[in-house]
Amino acid sequence: PLPLTLGCTVKYSGYLEGSDEPFCTNGNSKFPELMKLGKDITLLGLEISLLTMRKGEAARFVFSPKYAYGPQGCPPLIPPEATVLFEVELLDFLDSADSDAFFELSAEQQDTFPLQKVLEVADTERQFGNYLYQKHNFQAAKDRYKRAFSILGRSPSSEAERCQINTSKLLVLLNLSITYLKLERPARALAYGEKALEIDQRNAKALFRCGQACLCMTQYDRAREFLLRAQHIAPFNPDVNQELKKLAR
């Protein structure tokens, strides 16, 4: 069976034999959607072909009717028993198998998992969130980030584990802070920025996010305090300096 948990971003164009014009394409899309094999991509030849490809690879595949549209075709575009050619570029892929399986477990079962596996699952969720964020789907990105954060609350058994957990938490908290800014919910952005500062009080990104959030809420004194702290740590950061200029105006 093909892995239904594999999500791909793919550019593709399908051609009938002897045709210069594609009967289907997403080549005009600047940001192709993430599609899952077996769900969004159901053409057997295309599914099998993608499993042979590496990220960034472009290829051409010729599919016989058995691996394309079969003896019936797909009227009116695809005639019966059609052999088709697909030009494919695999831009990126994410495998959610381990993550999906983990979240199907009970909380008690999740607690028995090794920390390294939990961190891997959290990182997968964060990567999905990053993908959705890049597509400007901020609501769905926020949900992925919160799912990642929800499993990072276990108590560490050593200082090394505490550092690992906090490193993962910090990345997710920074992502949540900026995502809530995009969702025009600055109070939540500030709350997550401050949680990040509890882990690392000298984190310039967290200070910057808190400053942005306060500026959105017209809390100018607090905004200035956060931004000046960020500037002290990262004096040449253009984003911080630009925000301070905005505050001055």
Side-chain angles (χ1 to χ4, degrees):
L2 294 166
L4 304 184
T5 58
L6 191 66
C8 304
T9 48
V10 182
K11 281 194 173 182
Y12 62 85
S13 295
Y15 299 85
L16 295 171
E17 279 188 302
S19 174
D20 294 328
E21 293 296 323
F23 61 83
C24 68
T25 183
N26 71 344
N28 297 325
S29 174
K30 187 175 181 180
F31 299 110
E33 295 295 322
L34 184 71
M35 300 183 290
K36 278 196 172 184
L37 296 186
K39 180 181 178 183
D40 305 305
I41 300 173
T42 56
L43 195 71
L44 181 58
L46 191 54
E47 290 182 278
I48 295 172
S49 300
L50 286 167
L51 292 175
T52 71
M53 298 179 68
R54 297 180 179 180
K55 179 179 175 180
E57 183 179 357
R60 287 183 173 181
F61 298 97
V62 176
F63 305 140
S64 66
K66 176 182 176 181
Y67 293 95
Y69 298 93
Q72 303 301 319
C74 188
L77 291 177
I78 315 297
E81 296 288 357
T83 296
V84 298
L85 178 144
F86 267 78
E87 295 179 344
V88 183
E89 183 180 1
L90 180 58
L91 303 175
D92 203 354
F93 64 87
L94 291 167
D95 192 348
S96 65
D98 290 344
S99 179
D100 292 345
F102 181 85
F103 282 103
E104 289 175 2
L105 301 175
S106 67
E108 293 77 15
Q109 290 172 316
Q110 290 179 7
D111 286 341
T112 67
F113 263 60
L115 175 62
Q116 201 56 45
K117 177 61 69 176
V118 174
L119 295 177
E120 289 173 6
V121 169
D123 188 60
T124 296
E125 289 299 308
R126 189 176 63 82
Q127 288 183 50
F128 269 100
N130 290 347
Y131 174 83
L132 293 163
Y133 181 93
Q134 290 165 7
K135 304 302 179 189
H136 293 189
N137 190 344
F138 302 123
Q139 186 67 38
K142 179 261 295 178
D143 292 340
R144 285 287 189 170
Y145 294 142
K146 292 188 81 170
R147 199 154 91 132
F149 190 67
S150 71
I151 63 172
L152 293 172
R154 66 165 56 187
S155 299
S157 59
S158 66
E159 180 62 20
E161 283 196 359
R162 187 186 70 81
C163 289
Q164 286 182 295
I165 293 170
N166 280 345
T167 297
S168 292
K169 274 186 176 181
L170 185 60
L171 292 172
V172 176
L173 289 168
L174 290 171
N175 289 148
L176 278 166
S177 184
I178 191 173
T179 303
Y180 272 109
L181 282 172
K182 294 294 186 180
L183 290 168
E184 299 182 352
R185 296 174 63 183
R188 297 298 295 159
L190 176 60
Y192 282 111
E194 289 180 321
K195 282 182 181 290
L197 290 173
E198 290 174 11
I199 296 173
D200 180 5
Q201 63 181 351
R202 288 180 53 79
N203 187 282
K205 278 189 178 181
L207 291 165
F208 177 57
R209 301 292 174 230
C210 289
Q212 285 182 299
C214 288
L215 188 55
C216 289
M217 294 186 289
T218 67
Q219 297 179 10
Y220 300 124
D221 289 340
R222 290 192 74 194
R224 183 177 293 104
E225 179 188 347
F226 280 121
L227 292 170
L228 287 174
R229 286 170 62 190
Q231 187 185 54
H232 181 72
I233 295 163
F236 302 110
N237 185 302
D239 294 327
V240 173
N241 292 329
Q242 185 62 38
E243 208 72 1
L244 279 167
K245 289 178 181 177
K246 185 191 300 184
L247 181 61
R249 289 196 297 268

